[in-house]
Structures are given as structure tokens and as C-alpha cells.
Amino acid sequence: MTDFSEYSSHTDLALDARDMAQAANHGQTIPGIETDSTRENGIRVTKINVLNEQGSKALGKMQGHYITIEVPALRQKDSQLQDRVATKFAQEFEEFLRTIGIRKNAKVLVIGLGNANVTPDALGPLVVENIMVTRHYFELYPNDVTPGYRAVSAVAPGVLGTTGIESSDIVQGIVEKSNPDLIIAIDALASRSMERVNTTIQIADTGIHPGSGIGNKRKGLTKETLGVPVVAIGVPTVVYASTIVNNAFDMMHKHFSEQTSNTGQILGLLDNMHEEERLQLVKEVLNPVGHDLLVTPKEIDEFIEDIANIIASGLNAALHDAVSADNVAAYTH
Amino acid sequence: MTDFSEYSSHTDLALDARDMAQAANHGQTIPGIETDSTRENGIRVTKINVLNEQGSKALGKMQGHYITIEVPALRQKDSQLQDRVATKFAQEFEEFLRTIGIRKNAKVLVIGLGNANVTPDALGPLVVENIMVTRHYFELYPNDVTPGYRAVSAVAPGVLGTTGIESSDIVQGIVEKSNPDLIIAIDALASRSMERVNTTIQIADTGIHPGSGIGNKRKGLTKETLGVPVVAIGVPTVVYASTIVNNAFDMMHKHFSEQTSNTGQILGLLDNMHEEERLQLVKEVLNPVGHDLLVTPKEIDEFIEDIANIIASGLNAALHDAVSADNVAAYTH
Amino acid sequence: MTDFSEYSSHTDLALDARDMAQAANHGQTIPGIETDSTRENGIRVTKINVLNEQGSKALGKMQGHYITIEVPALRQKDSQLQDRVATKFAQEFEEFLRTIGIRKNAKVLVIGLGNANVTPDALGPLVVENIMVTRHYFELYPNDVTPGYRAVSAVAPGVLGTTGIESSDIVQGIVEKSNPDLIIAIDALASRSMERVNTTIQIADTGIHPGSGIGNKRKGLTKETLGVPVVAIGVPTVVYASTIVNNAFDMMHKHFSEQTSNTGQILGLLDNMHEEERLQLVKEVLNPVGHDLLVTPKEIDEFIEDIANIIASGLNAALHDAVSADNVAAYTH
Amino acid sequence: MTDFSEYSSHTDLALDARDMAQAANHGQTIPGIETDSTRENGIRVTKINVLNEQGSKALGKMQGHYITIEVPALRQKDSQLQDRVATKFAQEFEEFLRTIGIRKNAKVLVIGLGNANVTPDALGPLVVENIMVTRHYFELYPNDVTPGYRAVSAVAPGVLGTTGIESSDIVQGIVEKSNPDLIIAIDALASRSMERVNTTIQIADTGIHPGSGIGNKRKGLTKETLGVPVVAIGVPTVVYASTIVNNAFDMMHKHFSEQTSNTGQILGLLDNMHEEERLQLVKEVLNPVGHDLLVTPKEIDEFIEDIANIIASGLNAALHDAVSADNVAAYTH
């Protein structure tokens, strides 16, 4: 499938990449990819392992482990559902760390990427605000820390435009001074579909790569650059306006191709148009406001706060044995 | 022209209505409508007077005076341009009040409609925060008020969903207790085009009508309901996702109709599709996230703050002689 | 006892008034006053009924019912204690409404007094933000409301300095348009003692009176002015700097009077000084920063948020049967 | 003079230290100290140079250059005065950098110390938000930067309690990765006197030392630890409650000593009390709320915002030639 956006040559979600690859493969399984999906109580959990070079190529995603948690009803402000999602997230995250070989008392640094003053980009900083931070107790009173906790620190490094320094440089400096065993990096993503916005959480052990996420990042946060494993947690919070238009074109194409009458011609025209002209059309439509028009639902303030609480609660429960999935909400506000 | 959105059967801006009416009228002047437009320094000011029933019908807008200030570059965070726009707004607003017969010392109540916790709907409350409020001095020390000021009060009445009371009822109660001579109501609007978002300010003496603005209002704020004139200030801060899709369809239609080859057929198909099917298509595209998907640019936090400062500065200068257009910025933050 | 502050000629808390009156009465019971006190789990609940004119005079408080909930440990950020206090508050508030004859389905208007932009004065607006508002459902769909709820609305009317209108006028206007059966007004108070700040909640059926609370109010919110009963909920969030100084003088006085040696003279001097000079001294000490120096603990942001959540949670549970004291926290954020 | 607070064994302002040292020295000049003071338009600027070990000992302050800008009227919300202070601050700061030998194009890293969520401790983070950041342009497009700017970056490293990492470690990591030539560190201070709160700005080339500022810092930010000069900008935003009490005791002492009558005895008693008992008394008065009771004026939100804007505006003008003292306000909000 052709991508009509000039802004983003990829999708940030492995799940979308898998779906597209599978569609392109006429629904057949893709070699080098393992997937597993369960659905319960309105929460769908899909695990995708990109096993080798072949799978990586097919998906356009790095080798590694991916978990996607989809909750279509998450935007309906149902606080009981939110609690269930936080609990599910905590369980999956804990298991994920085990799977990728992180030991129970590994020291964790949580990094909240993004700009705290731009609501749809504020997910990372908001999560960091609600992380239960304990590293300083381990440093100052190593013998007095209650069992059931591990050393956790948390930083929101800001964005290039407001600090003047690459966030990856800031993180690297902090890592060198504070010596964590694992980085957990939270970032807001751009999605290909409106319905994913604030309803989907992705966990991956592949780190953060240049060009992913909303902001402009020139360097990534990876095991290669930081020397310790980097688990990325991402949530789509914006879509490109061009994505909405593309979706409409695709719908229209599908619509006509389902009609039996003499629409062969129009389909042909549309198909011919795809490559050269559709891009041009999308540009014309969106031209007045410039290149990088990312849009977000009007209710973004509330959505972001809800999902940040879910992730922070879930991480607190997953990282500290003493915080159970039941009392998880008590630690956030 | 057909409107494909089920959500909004009208456009909130008189300028858009005029453009559409004029287009439908093959570019000819519309009877019952007076318009006048000037452009200077990147700021275009258009005055539209809807003179009679005929004009009102043609535009789908109430009889009255409309001013639109368009500043395409307003989203580029140029603080000098913002100052120029505030000054221009102050001049136009002062003249507007004169034109509609408001006397110099009329007591003013500024109403900031909208939800302070939903960024694109927070324009009204943000303006109210920066209004120079003086009414209490006139009430408490009527003989000691410095010349050059008039009695101004300002209230953000909240929205039905967070107060449980119609904002029009709250305003009516406040009007009865505080007896202003004029209401100025500020509201965020939904626009038909992305490029208008946070670049256009409309002033009108027709009040606020049910269904206008972003929120659900069942009653309006008008001279009929409140007993005093109501001047409305509106800024588009959101677009319907369906609007973006519609724009794309229109672009496509235009694209094909400009081609000479055998596209007669496809045009026919597209035209036939308009009425019944396009609406259906748009719904399919946007279905997953429900009806009322209003989207806003990612940078909305900053845009809203900038334009709220412009309006508050402009109102402070227009309402108080002692505040000149030069020192206008000193009173907001 | 002499009050050395020129700003406030009274204490806002009935409990403090009772203690002072009792002290002045050499520990004996005061006629016209009924009191009852229980303590459990770090929470002390004191009920004071001012039965008649005599009691009212003795305490300098209006006739009526007062409940004080004291939780000295409330500033220690213990979320489990906070939950217990919210539950206790809900139980006491529900019983209080019964005691003063409010019926189960009485329509309630919650008023959050104070300035949302001044942290220690923001208690009322913060509570209002977390109140579960239902009145509009009763108005719009009277036959479809789930049992277990009553009609609740909530408004933060702002303060005179930012609206230009007396908050009592705004409330009166809203009451006339929305016809509640009961007003619950939340306000931040000034306290005589630092230890009360953010640790004490007072409930009273006497309404809000001019001069009470932090801001300048010239009119009150009472049954007389509004036509319906007014229950006031108050929390001390500030102390006058002069109060701290006074406390120090009193301590010093007590210190010297406990010494047996030749301090008769000094005590005499101090006592003579009381009336004329102590006030002068306090003024000299505090002069540089002007009259109304109200101070608040550095950590006020967090304290205010915590106690606003407690009150909002408690009110939601007390007002709606469908909200139990157990799931109370789910409705606030 | 004895310090009665157990919390702070020093004053953060060189000016207070000089005054106390001078008072102890019976008004005579202190060897090893140079001072110079000017007053103009309600702004007093005092320069203190601690020349050697002897001066350092006398003042209890490190060797170095100190400038204090005092503006008693700064809390009166006069926007024209604020502009004058910003301009004065810019001039003094520019000259200060010259005096201590910082070259014109030195790359600057601005560090905003403190906790953004605790209003009186949020000065540093607030200043950082309004700093004109340019370093990334120099890194990405070194040949295209408009003349008149230098490379400036800005970071708010958070506090130990919310990150789990010493802010000095975070800063050190960032310095190593971004290689500035000069650090400017902004911090909120505790003051000995209420009147200094939010009216005084201190500039010093001695860096930030452990124990200074509001928060708990175990390491400092100095040339020794960071390898580049560190200029500290401090503003008192809180006082210890014990300071208020102490001031009252001192006033009382002064009051009695000015009386001619038989108060010799009481003075003796008070003097004897000083060392052992006054501390005890202060503790008794403040005991209920624990050790570290720092108080701040009720209006702190507004004061902090105003003074943060002054410092940010002033720094932007002082650091970039292209930003003149006249247009300084345009760059902050």
C-alpha cells in the first residue's frame, strides 16, 4: 500500500505494520513473525515477536518483542475500565520484563519524552509526575528500604525546541551519572488511524528510534547508545490530517470496487491517480496550514490525563512488588 | 452546496456563509448583503452587513453586523504581528460599538463561554482571566474612579456538563443582579476549514445562538433573552474531521473536472454519489470514534493562549480610553 | 483574650471559639452550648450546637450546628488516611443533612467560593471541579435518571477582584434561575493557629457571613439572602503572620508565669503591654509588607489538592446513594 | 547575633550577611569587603565583593562578587515598575558577566532549580520556560544563525524527591554532553525577613552550595564540580515561621530597651533567655507542625510569575545583543 503522507514514511505501531504486511500478503502469515492475540473484557492484547531479518523487513519494524493493548472504549471515561486496563497493563509489563530477561531488582530509570506544554505531546512528562520514585532512598539509606521496592528514578528531559539540547543527549548524561540497569521511555506517537488515538498502548524492547514519536528526534534511545536495555511505551495521541484524507480515499475506493456496475473505469482512474496525483491532492487540501498538520481530538486534555494515570499506575505496580495491582490507583492523582 | 456533516447544519462564520452564497450565485453580489474588505500588513478585515430578511435567507445568518479579522500568519508565533492584530482588533471593536449605537460609558459584562479544562474550548475563560475588571470600583467608590475607565465585569459561567446548569441561565441570573448595558460574549467556534483555526476572529452584534459554538447550548444569549445588546466574539479553534474529508472530496472533484479526457463519467458518478452516499462514506470513515469528532491542531495550547491575549488586550483598549492601543499588552500576561 | 490582628476580629472556627470561651470560663461548660467529641483512628469529630442567644454571645458564633473534623496527620500525604477521612466526612455530612432536616432528594447547588488562581484560596473551585454533577440529566431526561442519584449542580462564582461582581450576587442570580433546595458552600478560612492549616474541616448550617473566609465579602450566603438553607464547609488554609507572633507572645507569657523567681515584674510589664503596645509591636514587625499578610505553608499546592479531593469525594458519596463510601475515590482525579 | 532556627544556620543573601556583620561590628566597615550601593526610581542595587578569606569569614559567605537588586514595591503588581526592573536587571547582569570575565559569545546553559509543582519553589522552572533557547540552531545550522545571538540552552532538572536523582548529578551529566562555557543557575531562597520575599534578586559568581536554596541539596553546582563558572541568581520566596517569631522577639527587645523606666530587669531576663530558652520557645510555638515550616505569602502564585518574567526577560536581553532592553517583554508570556 502506498503511503500518501510525506511527513511520516512509517507507522509507529507494530500492530498496524503487521496488519498492513498481512494484507499485502493476502492474509497469509508472514515468515519471521510470531503473533498471539487474546481478548477479554473489552481489552485486546496482541504480542508480536519479530524474530529475524526477514520479519523485520516484512514489517518495517526492528527485531524485538512488541505488545499492544487495545481498548476501544477507553475514551468513554469509565473509571472502572481504566482500573482494569491499569491492572492488565501491570501484569503484561511485569511478564514482558521477565520475558526479555530483566531481573527483579534491576534499577530502573523512567524517561518521559515530550513537551509538557503541548497537551498531546505531554504523555511522557505526565507519566513521570506519577511515578513512585525510590532511588534516592536506596542511595541515602541503603539498609533501611522496605522490602518489595526497587530503585526507580524518573526524569522528563524536555524537547529540543525548549531546552536547546537533544533529549537523547540529556538522557545519556543522566544515565552515565545515575547508572540504571534498565530504561523505560514513554512517548506519544502519531497514528495512521483516528480510532487508535488514546485507545492503544504499545510496549516494545526495541528502544526509541530517530523519527519515531511526535517530536523531532535526531538520535534515538537504544541499548546501543545508552549501554542498557530500553523498553519503549508508546500511545498514539495524534493523527496526521493527511491520514484522515487517505482513509477517506481508501473507503471510497473500497466503496466503488464493491459496486458491480460500470465502475471499472473509475476504479482504474483512481488507481492510476494513486501514486502521482493523490499525494498532490492531499497537499493541496492541507496546503494552507503547512506541512506538519497533526490533529488531535478536542477532548485531548482529559484523554491524556486518563491514559497517563493508567500507565503510571501500571508501572508502579509492575516495578514494585509491594504495590499490588489492587492498590495501584492510590499512588497517582 | 450540501453539507455532509450531520453534526453541524451551518457554518459559524458569516464570511464563510457569504463566500458560499456568492459561489452559489456564480460570483454575483447577493441582494440584502453589504460587504467591504480591506487588507493591510497581513491582516484582512471584512465587514458584512446582513440588511434584511432576503440577505439573511441567502446567507443563513441573522440580520446584523459582522466583522471578520483574518490573519493567516497568526499561528507563526510572531509577537510583533500579535501586537499589531491586538491594536487592529481594538480599533475595529471600538468603531463597531459606535456603529451599533453603544454609548461610551455603557457598563459592560464580558462573558467567557466554554470549558476551561478543554483546551480548544477554553478561549472564553482565558480571555476573561485577562480582562481589566473595574465594575466593583464604580460600585464601591463611585466618586473616586479615575477618568478614562468604564464599569467592566467579567464572568466565565462554565458549561452544562460541569455545572449542571445551562450557561445561558447562569448568565441571565448574573445580568439581572449586575445590570450591565452591554454583553460581550466570547466563544470558540467550529470551522469548515482547517486554515481558519486560530487565524480568524469574528465580531457580530447578533448574540450567541443555540447550536453555535463548540458546546451544546440549548438556549442562546441574545438581546431578546437578556434585555441588553449582545456582541459575540468568535474564533474557530476546531474543525470536524468530516470537514477535512469533505474538503478532500471537493478537491478531487475539482481535480477531475479540470481534466479534459474521458472523465465525464467519473464526474457523473461523483456527482450522483454526493447526496446519498458521500454522507454514508464519511460516516464509515469516521465511525469508529463516534459522532462528534472535533479535531484541533496539536499546538492548540499555544495558539489559544496567543489569541486569548490578543482579544483581551484589544478589549481592554477598546473599552477603556485610559488604556491605549500602545500599552495594551501591559495588562495581560 | 485580646486579638492583636486588626484584620480579623473573630475566629472562623466554632471549635476555636468554644475552646477560648471555655478557657475564659475557667474550663466550665458554657450555657447555651452542647458539645460532643469522639476520636477514632487519628480522626477527631467534635459537634457543637449553639442552642440560643446566650450560647451565641458566649462563642461569638451564630446559633446553629457545627461539626469539626480534625486530622493532625492529614499533611503527611498518607493516601490511606485520606480515604478514611473522606469516608468519615461522607458519613458525618449525610447525618448532618438529616439532623438539620434536609430531605433525601433535595436538589443541591454546590458553590466553590474563592479564587482559582490563588492556591490557598482555590479550595472551593477545586472541590467544584470534582463534584459529580447530575442536575442537567434531571432537567433534560427526567424519566431516565438511574435511581440512587439526586440533582446536583456546582458553580465556582469567582471573586470580586476578578469578576467585578460580588460572589453573593452571582450566587443569588444562579439560585433564582436554577431553584435548588439546598446550597453547600465551600470556602477557605484563615485560622488562629498554624497547626489547623489543612488539617481541619468545619461543617455548619449557618451559611457564609460577611468577613468570613479569606477574601473580602460584603454580603453573605445565608437562608435569609438566598431563600434556601446554606451549609458551609470550611478549611483553614492560611494564618495571619500576626497570629504566629501572637502565639509566640502567649508562649512567652506562659513561660515566664511558670517560673517562680522574681518575674512578677516582667509579667506585669507584659500584661500592661497587651492592649496598647502589643498591637503596635506586631504592626512594626509586619509593617514592611503591609496590612493583610496571610501566610501559608510552602507545600500548599499539594495540601489543597489533597483536601479538595477528600471533600469532593465525601460530598459525592453523601449526596448520591449510588456512590458508596468505598468507591468514592473513583469519581475524583 | 544568635540564630534561633535549627533549620538554617546561615542566611542565603550576602546583603543580609553584610548587614548583620556590620551591625556586629558597630557599624564599622568590615575588612576584606567592598560594597557599593545606588538607588534610583525605587530600585536599590548593592554590589558586595568578598575579597579574601578575612571578608569571607566575617560574612560567612564565599569569596566572590554579589549584586543585590532590591525593589520593595515589587509586590504591588505595577507592570511599568516590573519593566524597569527587568531592564535594570539586564544591564547589571550584562556588566556582571563582563566583570567576572565571561566573553560575549560564551555558550550558556541556564539551570532552573526547584520543584515546578511547589509554587514558591517553582521560580527556576518558570524562568527556564521563558528563556529564549538558541543552542540547537548553532548545532544544526551553524552558518545560518542571525548575528546578535549566542548559544543558550535551558533545563529544569527537577528535585531529588520527584526524580530520585540529585539535581547536581543531572546537571553534571548534561554539562558533559552539551559543553557550555557558563552555567546560570536560578533558585528560590529562604529569607530571614518577610519583607525580602519576592522583592529581592541576588546575583553571585559563587555557584550554588549544598544547603542553600529551599530544597535539600547535598552537592552544589560550582566551578569545582562542573568545570565551568557558575553564576547563581536567587530570590527569597519563603521565610521560616521561626524567623517571623524571632523578628517579633527582636522588636520587643528593642521596644523595651528604648523605654527609660525600670525595664533593666526585663531586658536582662530577655537577654539571659536568648541562648537556651528562646530556641526552646520557638520550638514550642511551632512544634505542632513539625520542623521545616516554611511559609510564603498567600499571593505567591502571582508574585512568582511576575518575578520569573522579570528574570527571564532580563536574561534574554543580557545574553542576546539582538534583544534590547526595550523589546524584552515581547519574548516572555
Side-chain angles (χ1 to χ4, degrees), chain A residues 75 119 265-266 289 301, chain B residues 75 119 265-266 289 294 301:
Chain A
R75 291 194 291 217
T119 306
Q265 234 169 345
I266 198 171
V289 285
D301 303 78
Chain B
R75 289 194 293 216
T119 306
Q265 235 171 342
I266 199 171
V289 283
L294 284 160
D301 303 78

Side-chain angles (χ1 to χ4, degrees), chain A residues 4 17 40 45 52 89 102 128 132 150 172 175 179 184 205 211 244 247 288:
Chain A
F4 295 94
E40 193 185 349
V45 177
N52 50 34
F89 175 84
I102 306 296
V128 157
M132 201 189 307
R150 71 164 99 198
Q172 210 170 334
V175 167
N179 296 312
I184 299 173
D205 63 351
I244 300 176
N247 287 359

Side-chain angles (χ1 to χ4, degrees), chain B residues 278-294:
Chain B
R278 236 167 90 165
L279 180 55
Q280 189 53 39
L281 269 183
V282 170
K283 277 187 184 164
E284 279 176 44
V285 174
L286 303 171
N287 184 49
V289 283
H291 301 339
D292 53 355
L293 187 67
L294 284 160

Side-chain angles (χ1 to χ4, degrees), chain A residues 3-12 190-192 211 240 242-243:
Chain A
D3 184 83
F4 295 94
S5 159
E6 59 178 329
Y7 328 118
S8 139
S9 60
H10 66 290
T11 173
D12 285 324
S191 169
R192 294 188 74 85
Y240 290 98
S242 59
T243 296

Side-chain angles (χ1 to χ4, degrees), chain D residues 248-263:
Chain D
F249 274 103
D250 291 341
M251 278 287 172
M252 193 165 161
H253 190 272
K254 188 156 156 281
H255 173 83
F256 282 121
S257 63
E258 279 163 359
Q259 296 192 325
T260 49
S261 64
N262 64 341
T263 52

Side-chain angles (χ1 to χ4, degrees), chain B residues 198-263:
Chain B
N198 301 305
T199 65
T200 302
I201 305 172
Q202 175 176 278
I203 305 165
D205 64 351
T206 54
I208 301 279
H209 292 276
S212 68
I214 294 184
N216 298 310
K217 294 175 199 77
R218 292 184 318 131
K219 302 177 195 171
L221 299 179
T222 61
K223 186 167 183 182
E224 287 66 45
T225 59
L226 298 176
V228 290
V230 180
V231 170
I233 299 174
V235 175
T237 64
V238 295
V239 288
Y240 290 98
S242 60
T243 296
I244 300 176
V245 176
N246 268 337
N247 288 359
F249 274 101
D250 290 341
M251 278 288 174
M252 193 164 162
H253 190 273
K254 191 158 153 276
H255 173 84
F256 283 121
S257 64
E258 280 163 358
Q259 295 192 324
T260 48
S261 64
N262 63 339
T263 53

Side-chain angles (χ1 to χ4, degrees), chain C residues 56-111:
Chain C
S56 173
K57 222 167 217 170
L59 252 60
K61 304 297 293 179
M62 301 193 63
Q63 267 182 250
H65 301 77
Y66 299 84
I67 296 185
T68 311
I69 300 174
E70 295 170 276
V71 194
L74 202 49
R75 291 195 291 217
Q76 283 156 25
K77 208 159 173 54
D78 170 348
S79 60
Q80 296 189 341
L81 175 61
Q82 288 169 19
D83 286 350
R84 284 208 315 275
V85 177
T87 303
K88 188 72 183 166
F89 175 84
Q91 291 162 352
E92 293 293 340
F93 196 83
E94 212 175 329
E95 195 197 305
F96 185 84
L97 293 189
R98 250 195 321 272
T99 305
I100 64 169
I102 306 297
R103 62 174 213 286
K104 207 125 198 92
N105 60 344
K107 290 176 287 172
V108 172
L109 168 59
V110 179
I111 294 292

Side-chain angles (χ1 to χ4, degrees), chain C residues 299-327:
Chain C
E299 298 81 1
I300 184 67
D301 304 77
E302 196 172 82
F303 292 160
I304 283 280
E305 197 177 314
D306 288 346
I307 211 155
N309 275 339
I310 287 170
I311 293 175
S313 301
L315 284 180
N316 289 339
L319 296 179
H320 302 294
D321 279 355
V323 182
S324 81
D326 295 338
N327 62 0

